[in-house]
Amino acid sequence: MPMASSVISSEDEYEELQSRRFDDGYSLSADVSESESSTSSTSTFSSDPRLASTTVTSSPLELASNSEFLAPPQVMLPVVGGRHVIIPAKKPERDKPEALELSETELMKERFAKLLLGEDMSGGGRGVCTALAISNAITNLAATVFGELWKLEPLAPQKKSMWQREMDWLLCVSDSIVELIPSVQEFPGGGTFEVMMTQQRSDLYVNLPALKKLDAMLISILDGFRDTEFYYVDRGIGVANGEHIEANPCSPFSRRPSISLEEKWWLPFPKVPPNGLSEETRKRLQQCRECTNQIFKAAVAINSSVLSEMEVPQVYLESLPKSEKACLGEFLHRYITADQFSPDYILDYLDLSSEYTTLEIANRIESAVHFWRLKCQKKKLNRAKTGSWSGTVKGLGGDIEKSKLFANRADTLLTNLKLYFPGLPQTALDMNKIQFNKDVGQSILESYSRVMESLAFNLMARIDDLLHVDDATRRRVAAGAISMLSRRGSTGSHALQKQKFVQGHSRSKTLVHR
């Protein structure tokens, strides 16, 4: 055949040609770039000898002579294991969604690894329980995304997606916390039968959708603060410009006075237009404040309900003082155990000037509540041992009733105290319950509601700060207008008096001249 001279007829010649090619400075990167520029569609590995032979049947001389019409051949590696391996064309870069999905998968693995290890990276089994690990994860995630909410502005898209994505991961555990409920099913041919079906546990089934709704409402309120009339500057800039704002007055929803803006040195300073905010913006801020307050109350109610259902840890009960006077102190003990009891009267006489003293009083009252309840339980056990016809039954019964009465009074006082101070931090009992709780469902509800409560409280505080600055600006503008009018009035009256004096003087001259 005429083409026989241009075909590599033996393996020796082919190997000699390949070795000469590699000796002339063979470069893998050059071959890859050369394979990319090739118009040939052969870019896969092939183990068929017929396909492999067809790819190498043309000699370099013939291809060089026809280079105007033919594309350069695929670059061949040396024979490996009896096969010719073709370098494939460079694969296209992965799409961004795939890379994003991969990173989310790795992040999810890291999060669940920490949960399974109980935050003990050594793997020695000294980690916390699953309930506390999930509670800490939700709390830390909220601190990362929201922080203390320094400004009224929308969340960054990255933070919003991070919050929604990771909360979905953490809350998916609740889908597996179920209980059996009876259900009626029908036979295909007629008739019914009762079976037990699984359903999400009742507390999760009721409270978790409500918390998700509150979450979405708070995010939507933050998203509404776009293109606003107000803005924020650093605290030093506000002070340098002479912005002195007095302490906020008492909130209409609480007896507790708000912290002055000067004490919040870490927060940026809100700035409003020279004449204050427009009526439309101010009305919208007040509506957002009202809505946020309702969200706050709902989150507090859910959190209080979940905490009340948690068991009191034995560690807390063992740490209680030995008497009710040691729990309450002389003043509180005298007024709680008096014949006449008024919680408002007691709160008016207590020193609630600071958060620290208020929290200490709440801890004292709460410890007294559980001291009296524990005392009731012990006396009931003693009563059961002595028998109902014993001579000491009447005395034991009276003591039990008194302990119940005092415990209810102290509980009422504590409830009123928390109503007057809605932003009060967690008490010692609450922290002990969270730390020693073993129920995963209760842990999810408590941490989620606590995070929503904190976010709503901070959002209300930022709105109050902004409205307070607007009020101060309006008062300053009004005072300036009044002073300007008074100056104009004084100037006008002085000119009028001068004019009258001149007229009187001229009249007197005329009379003298006559």
Side-chain angles (χ1 to χ4, degrees):
M1 294 177 63
M3 295 290 295
S5 60
S6 62
V7 178
I8 302 175
S9 58
S10 65
E11 291 186 5
D12 296 336
E13 295 178 3
Y14 175 75
E15 293 178 359
E16 182 181 357
L17 177 62
Q18 293 294 336
S19 61
R20 192 185 316 122
R21 183 184 181 114
F22 281 100
D23 291 340
D24 291 340
Y26 172 77
S27 173
L28 181 61
S29 61
D31 291 340
V32 171
S33 62
E34 189 177 352
S35 65
E36 289 177 3
S37 62
S38 174
T39 59
S40 174
S41 62
T42 308
S43 61
T44 57
F45 296 102
S46 176
S47 60
D48 192 345
R50 292 175 298 174
L51 295 176
S53 62
T54 56
T55 58
V56 295
T57 52
S58 300
S59 66
L61 296 175
E62 184 182 35
L63 291 174
S65 63
N66 299 327
S67 60
E68 297 179 0
F69 306 99
L70 297 176
Q74 291 283 346
V75 179
M76 301 296 299
L77 285 173
V79 178
V80 179
R83 295 181 180 180
H84 302 297
V85 182
I86 305 174
I87 297 179
K90 186 178 181 181
K91 293 183 179 180
E93 295 183 358
R94 290 186 174 183
D95 295 336
K96 289 183 179 180
E98 295 181 1
L100 182 61
E101 182 180 357
L102 181 61
S103 62
E104 288 183 2
T105 304
E106 295 298 327
L107 185 61
M108 182 174 64
K109 290 179 180 178
E110 179 184 354
R111 292 290 184 270
F112 278 95
K114 289 182 179 179
L115 291 178
L116 292 173
L117 292 172
E119 302 175 359
D120 178 21
M121 297 298 104
S122 66
R126 293 183 295 272
V128 298
C129 65
T130 305
L132 184 57
I134 291 181
S135 177
N136 291 341
I138 293 176
T139 304
N140 294 335
L141 177 61
T144 302
V145 174
F146 301 109
E148 292 188 5
L149 196 68
W150 286 7
K151 299 179 181 179
L152 294 176
E153 61 182 4
L155 282 178
Q158 297 84 357
K159 287 190 174 182
K160 186 190 296 186
S161 62
M162 176 184 180
W163 170 255
Q164 294 172 349
R165 179 181 64 246
E166 298 197 19
M167 280 302 294
D168 287 341
W169 294 346
L170 295 171
L171 295 180
C172 71
V173 181
S174 62
D175 296 335
S176 301
I177 303 175
V178 296
E179 60 185 1
L180 295 175
I181 59 171
S183 176
V184 177
Q185 293 187 358
E186 296 183 358
F187 284 110
T192 59
F193 64 101
E194 187 176 280
V195 296
M196 299 300 290
M197 301 288 293
T198 59
Q199 178 182 289
Q200 193 176 33
R201 206 171 69 186
S202 58
D203 56 343
L204 294 170
Y205 185 77
V206 172
N207 293 321
L208 199 55
L211 289 172
K212 289 181 179 180
K213 183 65 176 178
L214 298 180
D215 186 356
M217 291 172 67
L218 288 174
I219 297 295
S220 65
I221 291 175
L222 287 175
D223 288 340
F225 292 108
R226 299 179 186 272
D227 302 326
T228 56
E229 298 178 5
F230 56 89
Y231 59 97
Y232 291 87
V233 296
D234 290 337
R235 178 65 55 174
I237 297 176
V239 174
N241 292 338
E243 298 284 353
H244 178 78
I245 305 297
E246 63 272 12
N248 292 357
C250 292
S251 172
F253 302 97
S254 172
R255 281 183 164 185
R256 182 182 182 183
S258 301
I259 303 174
S260 64
L261 288 176
E262 292 181 353
E263 295 179 8
K264 302 176 184 178
W265 54 266
W266 63 91
L267 294 176
F269 193 85
K271 297 281 286 183
V272 298
N275 294 327
L277 298 172
S278 64
E279 291 298 329
E280 181 182 358
T281 302
R282 188 175 177 86
K283 183 178 179 181
R284 181 173 169 272
L285 284 172
Q286 291 172 347
Q287 290 175 349
C288 290
R289 212 270 184 204
E290 286 290 334
C291 181
T292 307
N293 185 53
Q294 297 301 321
I295 294 173
F296 173 77
K297 290 180 178 179
V300 168
I302 295 175
N303 187 263
S304 301
S305 174
V306 174
L307 282 173
S308 63
E309 292 176 0
M310 289 184 180
E311 295 182 2
V312 179
Q314 191 64 29
V315 177
Y316 178 80
L317 296 177
E318 293 174 355
S319 65
L320 292 176
K322 301 302 180 182
S323 66
E324 56 263 27
K325 272 192 178 181
C327 292
L328 292 170
E330 183 67 29
F331 176 81
L332 281 173
H333 180 264
R334 183 172 66 252
Y335 280 95
I336 290 178
T337 58
D339 295 335
Q340 301 296 327
F341 173 74
S342 174
D344 294 334
Y345 178 80
I346 296 176
L347 290 177
D348 289 337
Y349 275 86
L350 291 175
D351 178 19
L352 306 177
S353 57
S354 66
E355 187 178 85
Y356 174 77
T357 56
T358 306
L359 183 61
E360 184 180 2
I361 291 172
N363 286 327
R364 284 178 173 270
I365 298 172
E366 200 166 41
S367 63
V369 170
H370 290 280
F371 177 84
W372 274 313
R373 288 177 180 173
L374 189 63
K375 189 176 180 181
C376 283
Q377 293 177 1
K378 290 181 178 179
K379 288 184 177 180
K380 283 182 179 180
L381 291 175
N382 293 334
R383 182 177 181 178
K385 291 179 180 178
T386 55
S388 59
W389 52 85
S390 175
T392 59
V393 169
K394 293 183 179 180
L396 289 173
D399 291 342
I400 291 175
E401 293 301 324
K402 282 185 178 180
S403 297
K404 283 184 180 181
L405 176 63
F406 296 155
N408 291 334
R409 285 182 175 184
D411 197 15
T412 303
L413 182 61
L414 181 63
T415 303
N416 290 357
L417 182 64
K418 289 183 177 180
L419 288 176
Y420 291 152
F421 300 93
L424 195 67
Q426 292 173 336
T427 60
L429 177 60
D430 293 341
M431 290 188 290
N432 275 272
K433 284 184 175 181
I434 294 171
Q435 181 179 359
F436 296 100
N437 175 47
K438 304 296 182 183
D439 191 300
V440 177
Q442 289 180 344
S443 178
I444 291 174
L445 292 177
E446 191 281 326
S447 56
Y448 199 5
S449 60
R450 174 163 40 87
V451 164
M452 292 296 100
E453 175 186 343
S454 176
L455 178 58
F457 182 80
N458 288 334
L459 182 55
M460 283 194 296
R462 299 295 84 78
I463 294 176
D464 287 341
D465 292 343
L466 181 59
L467 291 175
H468 183 65
V469 170
D470 182 58
D471 290 337
T473 303
R474 290 182 176 220
R475 288 195 298 268
R476 188 164 54 246
V477 171
I482 292 173
S483 62
M484 186 178 295
L485 289 175
S486 63
R487 284 198 301 269
R488 287 181 180 177
S490 61
T491 304
S493 62
H494 181 70
L496 183 61
Q497 290 177 0
K498 185 177 181 181
Q499 184 179 2
K500 288 181 179 180
F501 175 78
V502 171
Q503 289 178 355
H505 186 66
S506 62
R507 285 180 182 177
S508 62
K509 278 188 175 182
T510 304
L511 292 174
V512 170
H513 181 69
R514 286 180 181 179

